[in-house]
Amino acid sequence: MRHLRARRPVLVLAALWWLLYNDHTGLARIGLLAALLHESGHVLAWAAITRTLPVLRFSTGGIGLDTSRAVLGRCQTFFLALAGPAVNLGACAVTLAALQHRASYWGYFFAAANLVLGGFNMLPFGPLDGRQMLAALRRRPGPVCNSRSNGLQ
């Protein structure tokens, strides 16, 4: 499968934000915002691990990071895969907490979209994050996460 690559993820994420802002249908905006949060979690984790911005790849299955050139350790791979679902589950929790003070259907839709997207990506199938985390756990034990390393081995 051929992928379109974006070497400027900040511009792509900004363009996605603009599209979300101008979508007046509602539910598509909420779902895409959840997906944007998910990928932003991966981008932030990549930047924290490697101290560089990632290359994004686009396919019919969605947006993903191009990690083909990086050699990441067990812990870095696990952390990178966990970052997207963790952001979604965190957004769900924060939204549900905020809804205790002022409830709205849109808030519940946003919480549900984040819960479904984060939970779905935790499944250990195909290119999903759950499979990446499981593969990282199954790899031979290497060095424990080293806070002094630059993330690349």
Side-chain angles (χ1 to χ4, degrees):
M1 179 184 296
R2 190 153 176 96
H3 300 287
L4 176 67
R5 294 179 183 209
R7 298 210 179 268
R8 303 273 189 240
V10 174
L11 295 176
V12 172
L13 294 175
L16 284 173
W17 175 86
W18 185 84
L19 289 172
L20 291 172
Y21 182 76
N22 290 304
D23 175 37
H24 300 291
T25 61
L27 292 177
R29 184 174 22 175
I30 289 172
L32 288 174
L33 181 57
L36 179 64
L37 286 173
H38 181 92
E39 288 308 320
S40 295
H42 288 306
V43 168
L44 289 173
W46 178 270
I49 292 169
T50 66
R51 308 277 193 255
T52 64
L53 289 176
V55 175
L56 297 177
R57 62 179 164 76
F58 298 87
S59 69
T60 54
I63 301 172
L65 299 183
D66 184 5
T67 59
S68 61
R69 293 189 181 144
V71 179
L72 301 175
R74 248 179 98 174
C75 186
Q76 288 89 4
T77 302
F78 185 84
F79 176 68
L80 183 62
L82 180 64
V87 168
N88 285 127
L89 298 176
C92 176
V94 168
T95 302
L96 288 175
L99 289 172
Q100 298 300 314
H101 302 287
R102 183 175 176 199
S104 73
Y105 285 114
W106 295 111
Y108 285 114
F109 291 151
F110 180 69
N114 277 287
L115 181 63
V116 168
L117 183 63
F120 178 75
N121 271 279
M122 295 289 284
L123 294 174
F125 304 116
L128 297 177
D129 296 324
R131 183 173 183 194
Q132 304 300 321
M133 289 186 287
L134 189 60
L137 291 175
R138 287 183 174 172
R139 280 174 41 187
R140 289 189 184 266
V144 181
C145 291
N146 185 354
S147 61
R148 289 188 234 154
S149 73
N150 66 356
L152 293 174
Q153 293 183 349

